[in-house]
Amino acid sequence: MNAVLQAVNTHKPPGHDVPRLLVDGLSFAYPPLPGHAAQAKATPKATSQATSKALSLSNTSPVLDGVSLALKAGELFGLLGPNGAGKTTFISLLAGMLKPAQGRICVAGHDLSTHVLAARAQTGLVFQSISLDRFMTVEENLRFAAGLQGMTADIIEERLLELARLLRLQDLLKRKVFTLSGGQQRLVDIARALMHSPLLLVLDEPTHGLDVLARQQVWSTLDGLRRLDNAVAILVSTHLMDEAADCDRVSFLQRGQLMWTGTPQEALMQLPPQTQAPVLPARSLAQWFVWRAGQ
């Protein structure tokens, strides 16, 4: 039996009261760049300014520092923060691509450090770059993704038809990916991440580079998915505050720390009355974002 499928079958499906994602005290720092550790030991105390600057690039400071959050079933959660805040690193940790220095990650009750396969089997991942074979058809891509998860042919067939109907992909199934628009490719990529029916869907800036209509279609799909299956939790990182306004809750990540978590409405209540950044709409999440980033 496929190892991923076996890992899932040995665990009972968690109830709605079990957090779909539980992150507790998560910290991470990239290792020093090659040669910098040795250089740091060999450099005299009275080092030159140029050498000090070079050593500062060794990435030894934490990228994430004590991050904790929990997502419940049916929740649409937005992860916000300026460039370099640590959002993509956080998602890479959720994907198991990086190992945390401290803390733990649990997906649907499965600890990612001790039950790796079970946790990954309950996670659907959509990265900034499209994770599809451009020269395969949409249907071939989805079947291939399902096969990697150890799904049987009859379940694959059922899930394929279900997602094609939900995401309105019926007319695209026989087309090769490279013939699709950017918005269509993104919807197919979301379908790929959902083929194995995960309880946690994680998306890293899923509307990056899309036009307004394609963005609207992606978010309409996410909202429809959440309403159709309230067992799934969705975590989305985004820079676009009009998208964040549709989330149930948002968190603001800055310099590797989770500075604030609450509803979009609660975020606006934090905004000082006199705050007004040029060009941006008054009393908007965009204004709040700029104000938060300056704290």
Side-chain angles (χ1 to χ4, degrees):
M1 182 185 295
N2 179 280
V4 174
L5 187 61
Q6 186 175 19
V8 176
N9 289 340
T10 55
H11 292 81
K12 293 182 179 179
H16 273 63
D17 57 331
V18 176
R20 293 324 188 221
L21 175 64
L22 179 63
V23 178
D24 183 22
L26 194 66
S27 296
F28 176 81
Y30 286 102
L33 295 176
H36 279 195
Q39 186 179 1
K41 293 179 180 179
T43 302
K45 187 174 182 179
T47 183
S48 68
Q49 184 177 1
T51 303
S52 295
K53 184 176 180 180
L55 290 175
S56 71
L57 300 176
S58 60
N59 293 334
T60 54
S61 58
V63 180
L64 294 173
D65 186 9
V67 172
S68 297
L69 59 83
L71 272 66
K72 61 184 179 181
E75 186 170 24
L76 178 56
F77 191 96
L79 183 64
L80 314 179
N83 289 331
K87 299 186 299 298
T88 297
T89 298
F90 178 73
I91 289 177
S92 296
L93 287 162
L94 297 186
M97 298 167 63
L98 298 173
K99 185 177 180 180
Q102 290 182 330
R104 67 178 185 135
I105 301 170
C106 291
V107 180
H110 306 303
D111 192 314
L112 186 57
S113 64
T114 57
H115 297 93
V116 180
L117 294 179
R120 286 183 175 176
Q122 295 294 355
T123 307
L125 295 162
V126 178
F127 296 102
Q128 288 185 33
S129 300
I130 300 294
S131 302
L132 301 170
D133 188 312
R134 297 178 65 251
F135 298 102
M136 291 169 61
T137 66
V138 169
E139 182 176 348
E140 288 169 343
N141 270 280
L142 298 182
R143 289 185 181 278
F144 179 73
L148 292 177
Q149 294 290 341
M151 297 169 62
T152 59
D154 55 336
I155 295 178
I156 290 175
E157 191 68 29
E158 180 181 348
R159 186 62 171 165
L160 180 64
L161 295 176
E162 180 184 17
L163 288 175
R165 183 170 57 252
L166 174 64
L167 277 65
R168 300 177 183 176
L169 303 176
Q170 295 99 323
D171 295 336
L172 305 179
L173 290 177
K174 301 301 182 183
R175 289 178 56 181
K176 293 188 182 296
V177 169
F178 76 85
T179 69
L180 306 181
S181 69
Q184 291 171 331
Q185 289 186 28
R186 180 57 77 190
L187 290 178
V188 175
D189 206 22
I190 292 174
R192 172 201 56 75
L194 291 169
M195 277 298 292
H196 60 295
S197 302
L199 292 176
L200 175 67
L201 178 63
V202 179
L203 306 99
D204 188 9
E205 298 186 30
T207 59
H208 177 72
L210 301 184
D211 62 37
V212 175
L213 291 177
R215 283 174 48 201
Q216 185 179 39
Q217 189 175 13
V218 168
W219 275 86
S220 176
T221 297
L222 295 178
D223 186 60
L225 172 68
R226 176 183 52 153
R227 296 179 187 278
L228 182 67
D229 185 358
N230 62 4
V232 178
I234 303 174
L235 184 146
V236 184
S237 76
T238 180
H239 288 299
L240 303 172
M241 295 304 102
D242 57 329
E243 296 181 348
D246 292 330
C247 295
D248 297 312
R249 289 190 300 147
V250 296
S251 276
F252 190 83
L253 187 67
Q254 189 169 22
R255 293 184 291 273
Q257 295 184 326
L258 216 54
M259 309 300 291
W260 186 86
T261 299
T263 68
Q265 294 74 23
E266 290 169 341
L268 292 180
M269 291 173 62
Q270 283 193 321
L271 194 61
Q274 70 277 13
T275 302
Q276 177 62 51
V279 182
L280 298 176
R283 308 300 298 172
S284 64
L285 272 183
Q287 289 280 357
W288 175 83
F289 183 97
V290 171
W291 171 74
R292 255 293 166 192
Q295 298 300 298

